[in-house]
Amino acid sequence: MKAGHPTTVWNRTASKAGQLVPEGARLAPTVGDALAAGPLTIICVTDYRAVYELLDASDAELDGRTPINLTSGDSAQAREAARWAEQRGARYLDGAVMAVPPAIGTAEAVILHSGPQTDFEAHRPTLEALGTVTHLGADHGLASLYGVADLAMMWSVLNAWLQGTALLRTAGVDAVTYAPFARQIAAGVAEWLPGYAQQIDNGSFPAEVSALETDVRAMEHLIEESEAVGVNPELPKLIEEFGRPGGD
């Protein structure tokens, strides 16, 4: 709405959608009315089951319309939803929101899309009002795969930081003091990624910096330190297991 796009809204909790009416939104009384309001519909609900329940119960035609589903799920669900929608004549795009709600409408909101590029490009000017949009490819499952991969990255980094924070707290060092050091380490590790990506794609893993055996021993020190000061050692134990023969 702030970008000047006529906007129709609907929510299962009507009061939530109603809050936008004074700002210029049109409130649709039903899902069918919301879908019929224009060629583009953005869907973001609890899960894919809710998507089917809502669209199956609606009286709107999907034929010729473009639903963009930003509901969280996995890649198999995204591909199945694409088949379901396309059987009903829809030009379906799937997506993933890599942002917290307050970031929506700013460049900080990264929103991923997958599906036919022509359909994405047709609506790019509208979608760019929501954030920084990227088209990943024709495979409808790509956005979900990128989304869960990013979750793995985000929560691994955060939990590693919490492990370090817990260790340092046993010596009276607070999290605020440690955060700048941790941020520097995280930024340094990020610089390794392009080089390691080439190794993965080439299937060649030269021990340019240290041998895997050396890394396993370093993790053993982390496990010992964690156990000695009473910090849960399960995370470093998992990483150590990866580095041993037969580990993933």
Side-chain angles (χ1 to χ4, degrees):
M1 288 186 296
K2 291 179 180 178
H5 296 282
T7 304
T8 298
V9 294
W10 181 89
N11 194 287
R12 285 177 291 183
T13 304
S15 60
K16 293 182 178 180
Q19 295 173 14
L20 298 173
V21 173
E23 299 180 33
R26 173 185 176 270
L27 181 62
T30 68
V31 176
D33 291 325
L35 289 166
L40 174 67
T41 302
I42 297 173
I43 305 168
C44 191
V45 291
T46 308
D47 52 32
Y48 279 75
R49 179 182 297 178
V51 173
Y52 292 127
E53 289 175 353
L54 293 170
L55 296 185
D56 271 339
S58 74
D59 56 0
E61 289 289 336
L62 288 176
D63 189 22
R65 303 189 182 279
T66 304
I68 298 183
N69 186 17
L70 301 182
T71 298
S72 296
D74 60 41
S75 57
Q77 290 175 319
R79 295 180 184 117
E80 177 58 32
R83 288 190 289 269
W84 182 90
E86 288 168 354
Q87 288 171 358
R88 288 157 177 78
R91 309 181 71 85
Y92 179 89
L93 290 170
D94 207 89
V97 179
M98 310 307 297
V100 295
I104 299 298
T106 74
E108 294 181 6
V110 174
I111 305 177
L112 309 176
H113 297 273
S114 53
Q117 185 163 3
T118 52
D119 296 334
F120 170 77
E121 294 297 341
H123 297 285
R124 179 192 282 269
T126 303
L127 298 175
E128 286 179 337
L130 298 177
T132 300
V133 297
T134 301
H135 181 259
L136 299 171
D139 178 358
H140 286 93
L142 281 176
S144 292
L145 275 176
Y146 268 77
V148 295
D150 287 350
L151 287 175
M153 187 80 178
M154 178 179 69
W155 286 107
S156 295
V157 170
L158 285 173
N159 278 289
W161 176 71
L162 289 171
Q163 184 82 21
T165 298
L167 288 167
L168 286 167
R169 283 176 70 90
T170 65
V173 180
D174 58 29
V176 172
T177 300
Y178 175 50
F181 292 88
R183 185 176 183 179
Q184 185 176 14
I185 290 294
V189 171
E191 293 297 320
W192 301 350
L193 299 184
Y196 281 136
Q198 290 184 348
Q199 292 184 17
I200 292 169
D201 290 342
N202 294 334
S204 175
F205 308 97
E208 297 174 344
V209 178
S210 63
L212 199 56
E213 180 184 0
T214 303
D215 297 329
V216 169
R217 289 178 179 175
M219 201 54 54
E220 289 174 349
H221 296 323
L222 175 53
I223 294 169
E224 292 168 0
E225 184 71 58
S226 297
E227 292 175 335
V229 298
V231 173
N232 191 318
E234 292 305 312
L235 179 60
K237 282 184 176 180
L238 177 63
I239 298 171
E240 180 202 30
E241 185 64 27
F242 289 159
R244 292 191 177 281
D248 293 333

